[in-house]
Amino acid sequence: MDRGMIKWQGFYLSDHTSALNAEHEIKDKVLQREVSPQMTVKEITDVINKAIVKNKTVKIQTNKCDSNGIFEAPIVGKISGYVSSELYINIKTIVKIDMIRSIIFM
């Protein structure tokens, strides 16, 4: 009976190995994520204004972090509008302007 248990201990199911590989890819992407330097309010508003006028796609890095201090993934899209201190990206994503760390054209 022990020999049968030992024989199968080293094998993983294909679903398990693919899940592990996917998890490692996600962790690698998070670790490789670049954190942009904090832009001034004037720099941020200048880029926002130019993006709206020229209908450009932007990449926004927010100041939001998880409990490990890892910044959220950047938000990429076109600015579809704004209301007071909130930007609407691709109509469905709302970003508070005071939470923007950096914004660049794509």
Side-chain angles (χ1 to χ4, degrees):
M1 197 74 159
D2 281 341
R3 296 182 90 188
M5 295 294 280
I6 292 171
K7 179 180 175 184
W8 293 103
Q9 273 183 339
F11 293 102
Y12 289 104
L13 296 172
S14 63
D15 292 344
H16 188 240
T17 54
S18 63
L20 285 174
N21 290 338
E23 185 178 322
H24 288 296
E25 285 179 26
I26 291 169
K27 284 182 182 178
D28 287 344
K29 284 181 183 176
V30 168
L31 292 176
Q32 292 174 0
R33 186 177 301 149
E34 252 182 62
V35 177
S36 303
Q38 179 69 52
M39 294 172 72
T40 65
V41 174
K42 183 177 180 348
E43 292 171 327
I44 292 169
T45 54
D46 286 346
V47 173
I48 291 170
N49 290 333
K50 287 177 187 173
I52 292 170
V53 169
K54 296 183 178 184
N55 198 27
K56 296 274 189 179
T57 300
V58 293
K59 179 178 175 184
I60 300 173
Q61 174 75 55
T62 64
N63 280 318
K64 293 181 185 175
C65 300
D66 65 9
S67 60
N68 295 325
I70 298 173
F71 285 90
E72 287 184 350
I75 300 164
V76 177
K78 291 191 177 192
I79 299 172
S80 54
Y82 63 93
V83 175
S84 64
S85 64
E86 297 178 336
L87 287 179
Y88 291 85
I89 310 298
N90 296 334
I91 301 173
K92 58 186 173 214
T93 306
I94 300 172
V95 178
K96 291 188 181 278
I97 294 174
D98 59 351
M99 289 299 295
I100 295 175
R101 181 177 189 79
S102 71
I103 181 170
I104 58 171
F105 295 118
M106 293 297 296

